[in-house]
Amino acid sequence: NELLASYAMGEYQLGKLNVTGGVRLENNLQSLNSNTLQGVRKIELRNRVAVLLPSVNLAWKLTQTTQLRFAYGMTEKRPEFRELAPLS
């Protein structure tokens, strides 16, 4: 499994509202090299996925000691190796 990732973030103050946003770019390569149980056939898989994952956080200051918060973010679930391997 090879993962390359980068992240950019920015923060803005709009009165009592604080906005923080970001984006993560992931480039992932999953490789599987194996043989069938009988050893007859070689199995080689390469699963490359590039994905952009945004996020945003909002914080609204209601009083000196109270904030209302909202957050959103995307994630990526990659398959496990057993899910990539073909069954023979």
Side-chain angles (χ1 to χ4, degrees):
N1 194 40
E2 297 176 22
L3 175 65
L4 297 173
S6 56
Y7 187 77
M9 185 182 91
E11 187 172 358
Y12 306 98
Q13 187 74 35
L14 304 168
K16 293 185 174 189
L17 181 65
N18 186 38
V19 181
T20 305
V23 65
R24 177 180 171 92
L25 174 63
E26 289 187 354
N27 188 353
N28 188 59
L29 172 64
Q30 285 181 302
S31 299
L32 175 67
N33 297 311
S34 185
N35 291 316
T36 60
L37 288 175
Q38 298 80 18
V40 177
R41 187 172 56 114
K42 188 172 184 176
I43 299 169
E44 291 184 14
L45 293 172
R46 293 175 62 81
N47 184 28
R48 182 174 294 280
V49 176
V51 64
L52 207 56
L53 305 169
S55 66
V56 67
N57 291 281
L58 305 174
W60 184 21
K61 192 171 187 178
L62 298 174
T63 68
Q64 190 67 21
T65 59
T66 307
Q67 288 185 354
L68 178 62
R69 293 181 173 266
F70 170 81
Y72 169 81
M74 286 183 65
T75 61
E76 175 76 8
K77 183 193 179 312
R78 290 181 278 281
E80 296 181 23
F81 285 110
R82 66 179 174 80
E83 297 170 326
L84 289 175
L87 302 174
S88 35

